[in-house]
Amino acid sequence: MKQELGDFIEASGLLEYDPTAITKIYKGHPKRLFKRLWQTLIPIGLYLLGIAADKIVGLLENTTRAKARAKEFAELLVSLGPAFIKAGQALSSRPDIIPGILLEELAQLQDQLPGFDSELAMACIEEDLEKPVEEIFEHLDKEPISAASLGQVHKGKLKTGEKIAVKIQRPGLREQITLDLYIVRNIAKWLNKYVGLIRSDLVALIDELGRRVFEEMDYLNEANNAEKFKHLHAHNKMICVPKIFPKATSRRVLTMEWVDGVKLTNLKAVKRLGIDPNKMVDIGVNCSLQQLLEHGFFHADPHPGNLLALKDGRLCYLDFGMMSEVTRESRTGLIKAVVHLVNKRFGKLSKDFVQLGFLSEDVNLEPIVPEFEKVFTQAIEMGVSTMDFKSVTDDLSGVMYKFPFKVPPYYALIIRSLITLEGIALSVDPNFKILGAAYPYFARRLMEDPDPQLRSSLKEMLFDGDTFRWQRLQNLIASAASQAELDLETLLDQVLDLLFSKKGGFLRDELVESLIKQIDILGWQAFLKAKKKLKEPFKKNQVFQEDNINSIDLRSLVPLRDLYNVLQKTPGYSPELIFKKIPRLINEKDTRKMSLKVAKGVAEKGIVRLIKVAAKVQN
């Protein structure tokens, strides 16, 4: 038993991924390496020979044959074990390396393997926690309820009576993963050196995968991730994260609270709980966007088994082994890219891809810009809310494969996460569009975030050159208003910031012009009412007939009216919020300038009106 539980890599002191240290270890133990090489290179070699034969005789030109070969490759990875499965999953979001037909098959790779011997599982617990199972748990099922490539889960109960789920790592897993990563890394090094068609650094990809898999194999790291995720979302009462029990957790054993729930994809079971599946999807989408754009710490593996609907209406996240981080700069860069995309500024969008690390600075962007236009123009004209995310990413994958793109690791995980989430949502609502669901959150971030770069992006979105687009402002506020967490007061502050900014001069002029016309209309209407009380001869004078008000252009008032209507419909709106902003308005120096312009404009209109009246009276 001890021999089966023992791990050669652990015995060598390797607890973190280190390719140099791994190379030294296997150079000193060639027998272990040769045995696994025989098990892996033979089936890989036979597969490649088959591909070469198909290529020579032209069979790969046939789509059906090509799909069959792609499926065969995915099945080969599953047969080779956990490291190869993980490598395939990593490649499934790398359109810069893998052609589209193979991406589809790799995206369907399932991280599921048969369970291992329960006696080994119990022995692993006792070795890691240094106590007999009976002393730790009141009860623990011998047979697992589920199994995956890294471990299996058993249901049980603590001595305190709390129901638990215990995840136990496969014995010898670290050695198997490490050896396979070493082999795959050397294959990648050979491919980079001798296959000129491959532009991306495959060795760097394998090293990134190695770091992530080693993190995933450390259940103490997963426990810390769960606690961090729980803390970040503590304010969100609709999100549930299982409690971790540190005293019954180690590097190979993770003990967490048992959560009774049903998979989101099981619609009948969700409805039996009295829960609207669409509401669950909304909670999941908003939480994912908050992870990506606000916290920068996101769950990179939200497959159906890791998302449960609970009977109290909450959404429960499970499995925090694969988490990723997005820097503040990258989060801001992604939002800026969306602004340029919505505004169809594809030249700037191509520069965003450079700043985000997709393209090197020496790449010629000229041929890429028209490709972006082909991919995005039609989708944008149909509207963000109807944009098909997978279709757009598939088209973009073709561009990335054609040009020297290198997908950053964080972005590959974002795409994988969003596509997985959209797949779950589509099982609930066949018409679901994740970009349409995401846009209100994006609008709220753009309107509320004080980041100087996002403030600049907001202005860029609302202006076409020097022309202010009222409709875009209304659409942004209306979209942001659909968010339950909208801070309306902050939103009003951002609108005022925009109004009194350097670039807000044109907006201030529009507002002054609208106010002048509004006051002029009110003054004229008041005069017409007063006229009715005047003597009959004066009353009959055609100069003062009410028809004259028709000559006033009311269209200039529509943007202000529509904007006010949007604000009125926003959750949390009250007149007091508007009144609270009056002191700030009074203290702004531009307010005084605007007031003088309004007074001057109203006076000028009044004088012009009097001159016209006088002229008509004389005639």
Side-chain angles (χ1 to χ4, degrees), residues 236-253:
N236 190 341
K237 304 304 180 187
M238 302 309 295
I239 297 298
C240 169
V241 179
K243 179 183 176 182
I244 301 295
F245 296 95
K247 291 182 179 179
T249 295
S250 67
R251 200 165 35 75
R252 294 188 297 175
V253 179

Side-chain angles (χ1 to χ4, degrees), residues 81-153:
F84 287 89
I85 293 173
K86 295 289 182 185
Q89 289 174 333
L91 287 170
S92 70
S93 51
R94 293 301 301 264
D96 53 327
I97 301 172
I98 303 296
I101 199 164
L102 185 52
L103 281 176
E104 290 180 18
E105 288 298 329
L106 293 179
Q108 296 174 42
L109 272 177
Q110 296 298 310
D111 190 11
Q112 292 179 339
L113 290 175
F116 55 90
D117 191 331
S118 296
E119 291 301 319
L120 281 173
M122 298 303 116
C124 182
I125 292 174
E126 293 184 348
E127 183 177 284
D128 265 37
L129 300 182
E130 300 179 339
K131 286 182 182 179
V133 171
E134 295 77 16
E135 288 186 23
I136 306 168
F137 307 107
E138 180 69 29
H139 169 75
L140 188 65
D141 291 348
K142 296 294 182 185
E143 295 305 315
I145 57 168
S146 65
S149 59
L150 301 188
Q152 61 190 34
V153 178

